[in-house]
């Protein structure tokens, strides 16, 4: 459910960001440099188109064949067209793509026509000049008209008419009636025949030039008509107009998207602000909850620590409970013979008291002086008999022995009580310097009733005292000794206790030759409440508490066991626990 929610939130965030990116992209500035380049290329084409018109007019109006020829603008036009086509592909402009093909065709056609026109016009000009210069040369051959020669005058007149007709044809073209020019040429030819052979040749050269003039002029006129009908100019204007319209529309759309972006960003900002406020509130509530939980947890930890201490204490008390039966039994034996001894002492005391009374009576009779000797003898005999009996029965020696026994018995009891006292010291927080050999001895003393038929071997080494809580460490030893004793068979049970200095601490090994622990059980033995003992016999807390105690002392507890052969527990404790304060806690 939570994952679905997270997925949904991620999706919404993604959509919002995508929308933002889309709007941002839509508002990206138009590449004005590109647009300017396109506009400049269109202007160049328009200028070339205009210049072509001027070139044509110039060609038509100027007669000087030596004038500077108008440059060929075709290459520039082609370059501009190629630039436009590349720009169209880059910008994807619809306005350009629509008419660019047609425009290119019209421009290139015009370029071709203009160049042809220029060449035809040049041809016509050269032919006109040839007619004029030919006419001048023929006139010179015919001679000056002013000397009364009518034929010469006629020739000069015909030549003037011819030049005028040629010029008229050059300027007006077909409208100038070509027949006029040909008639004038025919007249000149005829007159020249009569002058000389040179004049005749000159006339035929003039004829050739006229012929050329007529041809060039006809083609030129045709080209001019074609050029005039070309549509490159209007096309260019139309394209420039649509291009500008397109640019304007694009800018308008961008502007619109800019407004959308602004509105969207504002909405997003408000949303984010709202989320921020909610997040802050949630954060504050979270912090409050964390503080609350921390408080609850510390409270729980305190309870746990208390319960743990109580558990250790109650386990100790439970071990103690088990001990009590044994201890009672232990005390019972010395108590019994102290009681017997005292009973016997009491019996013997009756005999002694009777003997003493007889002695006192005998003494009284002797002190009185005038006593009946029979009575004295009787008393003496009785007292002697009693004393002899006491002597014979070695009552005093016996009493001495009984008192000794009684004292031994009470000593035994005092020792047991002392061990019990040592063990059950409730001042568990008391951390002090303690020799583990003493701890083992005291624990063994308490477990004595379980170890009656067990061979206990002490291999105590020279070990330094360690800083620890002795009552807790004793509890660990008693647990381990009890477990060892409980694992032993009915006969040949052996427990070996070894102590040695080891690795900056003290190691205590408690080894038994009992039934051992199966491998599948071994990993669980330190778990709280794990027991293989019958219900009511074991709580399963002994080892888990021992583990905890050793851990708190900064030590380690290890076990090695072989089923059927025995078990060895090794407790290692440092000379001084790192966290002494924890022990005192
Ligand atoms: N020396 C040992 N030999 C064989 N088994 C052992 C020995 N020490 C412990 N165990 C196994 O580990 C189990 C857990 O021991 P632990 O001292 O924690 O509990 P317990 O002895 O069963 O009960 P409790 O100690 O409360 O009387 C025991 O039930 C026993 O199966
Ligand atoms: Mg146990």
């Amino acid at each position: 459910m939570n994952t679905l929610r997270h997925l949904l939130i991620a999706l919404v965030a993604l959509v919002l960001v995508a929308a933002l990116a889309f709007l941002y992209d839509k508002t990206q500035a138009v590449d004005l440099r590109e647009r300017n380049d396109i506009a400049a290329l269109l202007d160049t084409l328009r200028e070339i188109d205009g210049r072509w018109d001027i070139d044509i007019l110039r060609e038509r109006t100027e007669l000087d064949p030596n004038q500077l020829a108008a440059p060929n603008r075709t290459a520039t036009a082609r370059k501009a067209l190629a630039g436009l086509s590349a720009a169209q592909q880059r910008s994807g402009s619809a306005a350009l793509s629509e008419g660019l093909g047609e425009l290119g065709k019209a421009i290139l056609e015009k370029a071709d026509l203009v160049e042809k026109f220029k060449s035809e016009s040049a041809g016509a000009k050269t032919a006109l000049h040839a007619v004029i210069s030919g006419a001048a040369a023929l006139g010179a051959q015919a001679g000056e008209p002013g000397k009364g020669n009518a034929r010469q005058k006629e020739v000069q007149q015909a030549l003037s008419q011819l030049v005028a007709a040629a010029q008229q044809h050059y300027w007006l073209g077909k409208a100038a009636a070509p027949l006029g020019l040909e008639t004038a040429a025919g007249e000149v030819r005829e007159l020249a025949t009569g002058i000389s052979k040179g004049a005749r040749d000159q006339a035929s050269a003039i004829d050739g030039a006229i012929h050329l003039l007529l041809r060039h002029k006809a083609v030129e006129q045709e080209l001019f008509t074609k050029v005039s009908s070309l549509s490159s100019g209007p096309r260019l204007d139309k394209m420039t107009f649509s291009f500008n319209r397109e640019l304007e529309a694009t800018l308008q759309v961008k502007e619109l998207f800019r407004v959308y972006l602004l509105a969207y960003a504002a909405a997003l900002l408000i949303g984010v602000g709202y989320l921020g406020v909610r997040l802050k509130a949630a954060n504050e509530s979270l912090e409050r909850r964390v503080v609350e939980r921390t408080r609850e947890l510390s409270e729980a930890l305190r309870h746990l620590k208390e319960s743990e201490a109580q558990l250790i204490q109650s386990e100790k008390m439970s071990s103690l409970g088990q001990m009590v039966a044994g201890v009672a039994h232990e005390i019972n034996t010395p108590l019994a013979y102290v009681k017997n001894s005292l009973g016997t002492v009491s019996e013997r005391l009756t005999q002694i008291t009777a003997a003493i009374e007889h002695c006192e009576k005998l003494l009284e009779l002797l002190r009185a002086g005038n006593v009946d000797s029979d009575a004295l003898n009787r008393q003496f005999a009785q007292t002697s008999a009693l004393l002899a009996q006491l002597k014979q029965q070695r009552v005093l020696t016996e009493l001495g022995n009984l008192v000794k026994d009684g004292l031994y018995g009470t000593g035994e009891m005092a020792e047991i009580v002392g061990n019990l006292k040592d063990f059950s010291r409730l001042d568990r927080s008391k951390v002090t310097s303690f020799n583990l050999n003493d701890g083992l001895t005291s624990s063994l003393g308490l477990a004595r009733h379980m170890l009656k038929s067990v061979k206990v071997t002490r291999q105590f080494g020279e070990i330094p005292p360690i800083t620890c809580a002795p009552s807790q460490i004793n509890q660990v030893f008693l647990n381990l000794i009890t477990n060892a004793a409980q694992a032993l068979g009915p006969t040949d049970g052996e427990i070996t206790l070894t102590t040695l200095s080891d690795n900056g601490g003290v190691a205590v090994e408690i080894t038994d030759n009992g039934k051992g622990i199966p491998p599948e059980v071994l990993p669980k033995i330190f778990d709280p409440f794990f027991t293989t003992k019958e219900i009511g016999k074991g709580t399963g807390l002994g080892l888990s508490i021992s583990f905890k105690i050793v851990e708190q002392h900064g030590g380690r507890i290890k076990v090695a066991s072989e089923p059927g052969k025995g078990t060895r527990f090794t407790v290692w404790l440092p000379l001084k626990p790192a966290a002494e304060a924890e022990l005192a806690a």
Side-chain angles (χ1 to χ4, degrees):
M1 193 64 198
N2 242 2
T3 328
L4 202 74
R5 223 178 116 204
H6 287 159
L7 264 176
L8 214 70
I9 290 173
L11 204 73
V12 169
L14 205 73
V15 168
L16 289 177
V17 171
L20 193 67
F22 171 76
L23 286 175
Y24 177 74
D25 184 58
K26 284 283 172 196
T27 55
Q28 277 306 287
V30 180
D31 188 352
L32 283 177
R33 220 172 53 185
E34 180 92 86
R35 302 278 159 172
N36 286 342
D37 285 352
I38 293 172
L41 288 169
L42 285 170
D43 280 349
T44 308
L45 282 178
R46 195 175 305 103
E47 193 189 326
I48 290 171
D49 190 62
R51 289 224 171 256
W52 273 334
D53 293 341
I54 293 169
D55 287 350
I56 285 173
L57 284 178
R58 258 185 68 200
E59 290 293 338
R60 276 173 74 103
T61 50
E62 282 185 15
L63 265 181
D64 184 3
N66 299 322
Q67 67 170 308
L68 211 60
N72 189 339
R73 304 177 202 278
T74 314
T76 320
R78 277 187 192 283
K79 209 168 143 198
L81 279 171
L84 268 183
S85 148
Q88 186 277 322
Q89 274 174 13
R90 275 199 304 277
S91 66
S93 160
L96 281 189
S97 79
E98 259 173 34
L100 197 57
E102 291 297 316
L103 178 72
K105 247 194 253 165
I107 293 276
L108 292 178
E109 196 183 344
K110 185 163 181 175
D112 190 40
L113 289 177
V114 167
E115 287 312 309
K116 278 183 185 156
F117 178 87
K118 272 155 69 179
S119 134
E120 291 303 324
S121 182
K125 245 175 249 165
T126 314
L128 179 64
H129 279 283
V131 171
I132 293 169
S133 58
L138 188 60
Q141 279 181 18
E144 283 295 317
K147 293 194 179 151
N149 190 339
R151 191 169 179 80
Q152 284 168 347
K153 204 173 176 182
E154 208 178 331
V155 169
Q156 293 300 346
Q157 251 175 12
L159 284 173
S160 296
Q161 269 176 16
L162 176 71
V163 169
Q167 283 178 342
Q168 205 179 6
H169 185 80
Y170 180 83
W171 291 117
L172 298 176
K174 272 185 184 161
L179 279 182
L181 179 57
E182 273 167 24
T183 315
E187 204 175 319
V188 168
R189 212 170 32 242
E190 207 176 300
L191 285 172
T193 318
I195 297 173
S196 63
K197 166 126 179 22
R200 242 187 351 258
D201 291 346
Q202 193 62 47
S204 69
I206 290 172
D207 256 0
I210 285 172
H211 197 70
L212 277 177
L213 175 66
L214 285 172
R215 212 183 68 210
H216 281 303
K217 235 9 213 183
V219 178
E220 187 208 70
Q221 184 60 39
E222 197 182 319
L223 289 169
F224 183 74
T225 316
K226 273 191 188 169
V227 168
S228 311
S229 68
L230 274 181
S231 60
S232 56
R235 273 183 200 282
L236 263 170
D237 287 343
K238 197 177 150 206
M239 180 167 289
T240 309
F241 179 69
S242 353
F243 178 69
N244 285 341
R245 277 267 304 268
E246 187 187 68
L247 181 62
E248 215 169 280
T250 314
L251 287 175
Q252 267 175 11
V253 169
K254 299 262 170 207
E255 196 51 44
L256 196 67
F257 273 109
R258 211 158 283 157
V259 173
Y260 289 161
L261 179 67
L262 211 68
Y264 185 73
L268 264 190
L269 213 66
I270 291 169
V272 168
Y274 172 71
L275 277 181
V277 169
R278 280 199 58 180
L279 209 67
K280 198 170 165 233
N283 200 24
E284 277 168 7
S285 115
L286 196 70
E287 267 173 26
R288 267 200 309 278
R289 275 164 61 189
V290 166
V291 169
E292 220 167 272
R293 287 278 179 283
T294 314
R295 200 175 40 74
E296 282 172 17
L297 278 175
S298 3
E299 188 78 350
L301 189 70
R302 200 175 51 76
H303 277 308
L304 205 67
K305 278 198 167 166
E306 272 175 21
S307 320
E308 193 183 65
Q310 275 171 8
L311 204 62
I312 293 179
Q313 189 61 14
S314 70
E315 208 280 337
K316 190 165 155 184
M317 285 304 151
S318 126
S319 313
L320 211 59
Q322 290 177 21
M323 284 307 112
V324 166
V327 168
H329 182 257
E330 280 302 300
I331 291 180
N332 211 29
T333 316
L335 195 66
Y337 58 74
V338 169
K339 200 176 157 196
N340 278 344
S341 304
L342 289 179
T344 320
V345 168
S346 159
E347 274 171 31
R348 293 292 179 256
L349 275 182
T350 325
Q351 278 177 281
I352 291 169
T353 313
I356 289 171
E357 274 173 8
H358 280 288
C359 283
E360 277 175 350
K361 272 187 194 161
L362 185 64
L363 282 175
E364 262 174 41
L365 287 173
L366 284 172
R367 229 178 277 131
N370 56 348
V371 264
D372 183 4
S373 62
D374 288 345
L376 192 62
N377 284 339
R378 254 197 331 271
Q379 189 56 42
F380 182 77
Q382 276 177 1
T383 307
S384 300
L386 271 175
L387 287 175
Q389 193 188 351
L390 283 178
K391 202 175 174 186
Q392 191 202 350
Q393 287 177 348
R394 301 166 70 90
V395 169
L396 286 179
T397 319
E398 191 190 6
L399 268 182
N401 286 339
L402 285 170
V403 168
K404 238 199 247 164
D405 282 355
L407 283 175
Y408 177 76
T410 50
E412 287 269 286
M413 287 191 283
E415 194 189 333
I416 291 168
V417 171
N419 281 340
L420 204 58
K421 246 171 72 188
D422 271 358
F423 182 85
S424 63
R425 270 190 308 191
L426 293 176
D427 51 350
R428 58 186 282 278
S429 63
K430 196 172 167 200
V431 177
T432 177
S433 180
F434 185 58
N435 191 308
L436 296 187
N437 287 342
D438 295 345
L440 283 170
T441 308
S442 139
S443 302
L444 272 177
L446 275 177
R448 190 161 52 178
H449 69 285
M450 292 187 281
L451 306 170
K452 277 200 184 116
S453 55
V454 177
K455 185 181 165 205
V456 177
T457 312
R458 300 173 199 223
Q459 293 177 340
F460 289 175
E462 287 287 320
I463 50 166
I466 68 160
T467 303
C468 65
S471 67
Q472 293 187 14
I473 295 300
N474 279 349
Q475 193 179 347
V476 173
F477 292 156
L478 188 65
N479 276 334
L480 296 179
I481 293 169
T482 308
N483 280 350
Q486 288 170 342
L488 296 175
T491 52
D492 301 329
E494 273 183 42
I495 292 178
T496 309
L497 304 179
T498 310
T499 57
L500 54 133
S501 287
D502 179 31
N503 196 22
V506 175
V508 176
E509 292 173 0
I510 296 169
T511 314
D512 66 69
N513 63 348
K515 60 182 176 190
I517 308 171
E520 65 276 11
V521 170
L522 207 58
K524 302 185 219 161
I525 58 170
F526 291 104
D527 293 352
F529 303 106
F530 176 80
T531 180
T532 55
K533 292 166 193 168
E534 293 166 31
I535 298 171
K537 280 222 166 157
T539 61
L541 282 173
L543 280 181
S544 79
I545 286 172
S546 301
F547 188 90
K548 182 92 196 158
I549 290 172
V550 172
E551 198 181 46
Q552 277 178 351
H553 278 76
R556 296 184 293 274
I557 183 162
K558 280 193 312 188
V559 59
S561 185
E562 217 178 308
K565 289 212 165 154
T567 305
R568 167 177 296 165
F569 278 90
T570 308
V571 176
W572 179 87
L573 290 164
L575 293 184
K576 212 170 167 63
E580 204 174 313
E582 208 175 290
L583 294 180

